[in-house]
Amino acid sequence: MRRTFSVRDIALQAGVSEATVDRVLHERPGVRTATVEQVRRAVTDLERQRSQVRLTGRTVVVDVVMASPARFADAVRSALEAELPALHPATVRARFHTVPGASADWVAAELDRVRRTGSHGVLLQSPDLPVVRAAVEQLAAAQVPVVTLASDLPGSRRRGYVGADNRGAGATAAYLLTQWAPDPSEPVLVVRGLQPQDGDRERWAGFEAALAQLEGSVRPVLTVVDDDQDPTVVEESVLAVLGDRPGLRAVYSMCAGAGGNGAVVRAFERGGSRPAAFVAHDLDGENADLLRRGDLTAVLHHDLRADCRQACRMLLQAPYTRTELTGSASAVQIVTPFNVPQDA
C-alpha cells in the first residue's frame, strides 16, 4: 500500500494500533480482511482531508455514524469535509461509519466500537430506538459527547441536535402544493423512502397537519415507495398510479433516492402528462438539473454545511460545559427554477 501519511496518523484515523497499520502497510499476514479494508479507508479519508492533516494545533477526531440512505450520507461527508479547514486552529478529522438502511443494532455496535477505540466526539444519525439510546448513554459515561444530526434522540444523554426543521419543511410543501394545485379533490402523489427515518416522519406529520389546516380536511394522498437503489421501481410504480388516476397533477417527493425524482418525471412523460406542481427536498446536482429544466417546481433546501459546522463547534465546546448544547433547526429555503445557485 502506498504510504503518504505517518503510521500514527493512519492509526488514529482507522481507530487501530500503530502495529496493525504497520503490518497492513507492509502486507504482513495475520490481519483480518475487514481490518485491512478499515486501514485502506482511513488512508482514503486522509487523502480527502489532507489540508487538515497539514495544520498544527490540537487534533480532534470526530466519528460520523449514519444509517441513512447513501445519497444523504454522501452529502454529509462532502459537507463536513468542506467545513473541516474552517475549524482551525483545531485540527478536526472525521472518521465515517455509514451503512445505508443499517439496523439499530449495527448503529449500537458501531457506537460501542467507537467508545472502545476512543473518540473526541460522535456525530450521529440514527433511528430513535432503545439499543441506540443505551449506546449513547455508555458514550456519555465515557465522556464522549454525541451530537445528533437530521434525526434526534430527545431526552437521551446526547449533548445537542442539529438539522433541518423537518416538520416545518413538510408543512411548507403542503402550502406550496395547495397554491399550485388548488383543487382539494385532486390527490397528491407522495414519494416516500422504503425505510423512513425519524426526520421523514416529521416531514410527513407536518405535511398532513398543514393539508388539514389549509383545506379543512386532508385531500387524498397516494404513496409510492423508493428503495434508494433502483429508480425503475419508482418509475413503474408511478406509471401504475397514473393509469388509475390520469388527472393526477401534484407530487411531493419526501426523500427520493438517487435518480428517484428523474424516474417520477419519466413516468409522467410516458403517461403523456407532467405535474402541475412537483416539490422535492435537497439541492443536489440531480435536483438542480431538474429545476433548471422546469421538471421540478421547487426544492426545499437547507444548508447542510452550516449544520456540520455547527455540530463540530458543539463537539469542540462539549469538554468545557456540562449543560446541553443548543443548536437551532435549519430553516427551509425555497429554491425555484429562477434562483438556482450557479454552483449547485
Side-chain angles (χ1 to χ4, degrees):
M1 183 185 301
R2 183 169 59 91
R3 177 174 169 179
T4 307
F5 305 98
S6 71
V7 170
R8 176 175 296 181
D9 278 336
I10 297 171
L12 179 63
Q13 187 72 24
V16 299
S17 69
E18 293 182 24
T20 297
V21 171
D22 186 72
R23 286 198 295 273
V24 173
L25 292 176
H26 291 92
E27 300 182 353
R28 298 192 183 103
V31 183
R32 293 182 307 161
T33 302
T35 303
V36 173
E37 289 303 311
Q38 192 173 329
V39 172
R40 292 182 184 275
R41 286 196 303 271
V43 173
T44 301
D45 287 344
L46 288 172
E47 289 284 356
R48 284 197 308 271
Q49 300 172 33
R50 184 182 294 273
S51 62
Q52 284 297 95
V53 178
R54 289 173 177 166
L55 295 176
T56 59
R58 177 190 175 207
T59 299
V60 176
V61 176
V62 172
D63 285 275
V64 183
V65 181
M66 302 183 68
S68 69
R71 185 178 187 178
F72 184 64
D74 291 344
V76 169
R77 181 191 290 267
S78 297
L80 181 58
E81 290 182 341
E83 287 299 316
L84 293 182
L87 298 169
H88 186 65
T91 302
V92 181
R93 288 174 19 206
R95 301 186 296 209
F96 294 90
H97 318 258
T98 63
V99 172
S103 67
D105 288 337
W106 176 87
V107 173
E110 285 299 297
L111 293 177
D112 185 62
R113 189 171 72 82
V114 166
R115 177 180 58 81
R116 287 184 283 105
T117 58
S119 177
H120 294 100
V122 174
L123 186 57
L124 173 65
Q125 183 278 320
S126 166
D128 184 0
L129 292 171
V131 67
V132 177
R133 285 176 172 263
V136 171
E137 175 75 22
Q138 290 184 318
L139 283 167
Q143 305 300 311
V144 179
V146 176
V147 170
T148 51
L149 169 70
S151 57
D152 197 11
L153 305 175
S156 70
R157 290 187 66 185
R158 60 100 171 103
R159 299 300 303 278
Y161 165 76
V162 296
D165 175 8
N166 287 303
R167 188 174 289 262
T172 300
Y175 172 76
L176 294 175
L177 289 173
T178 56
Q179 302 306 301
W180 292 325
D183 183 355
S185 66
E186 182 179 278
V188 175
L189 177 65
V190 177
V191 182
R192 303 181 68 176
L194 180 64
Q195 296 178 315
Q197 303 292 317
D198 293 332
D200 301 330
R201 297 186 184 95
E202 285 291 299
R203 288 178 181 176
W204 179 253
F207 181 74
E208 280 197 312
L211 276 183
Q213 178 182 349
L214 292 165
E215 300 182 338
S217 63
V218 178
R219 70 165 69 191
V221 175
L222 309 173
T223 60
V224 168
V225 173
D226 179 9
D227 67 0
D228 196 41
Q229 299 295 324
D230 187 358
T232 60
V233 173
V234 177
E235 184 173 342
E236 295 302 324
S237 298
V238 173
L239 194 62
V241 171
L242 291 174
D244 295 330
R245 305 295 288 263
L248 193 149
R249 303 292 304 284
V251 180
Y252 174 35
S253 178
M254 289 180 56
C255 50
N261 291 331
V264 174
V265 172
R266 290 193 298 274
F268 271 86
E269 290 174 344
R270 289 172 62 187
S273 66
R274 63 179 298 159
F278 190 166
V279 177
H281 283 273
D282 302 324
L283 191 62
D284 58 15
E286 178 192 32
N287 283 344
D289 289 341
L290 291 172
L291 267 176
R292 292 187 181 101
R293 294 201 302 264
D295 292 324
L296 290 180
T297 315
V299 167
L300 304 180
H301 182 64
H302 79 282
D303 191 344
L304 190 55
R305 285 186 57 170
D307 286 348
C308 290
R309 180 169 61 250
Q310 184 180 43
C312 286
R313 295 197 180 280
M314 291 167 73
L315 290 173
L316 291 172
Q317 180 187 353
Y320 308 106
T321 178
R322 297 295 180 187
T323 60
E324 180 174 317
L325 302 169
T326 58
S328 57
S330 304
V332 65
Q333 304 170 24
I334 302 174
V335 185
T336 73
F338 298 97
N339 66 335
V340 185
Q342 292 293 326
D343 57 351

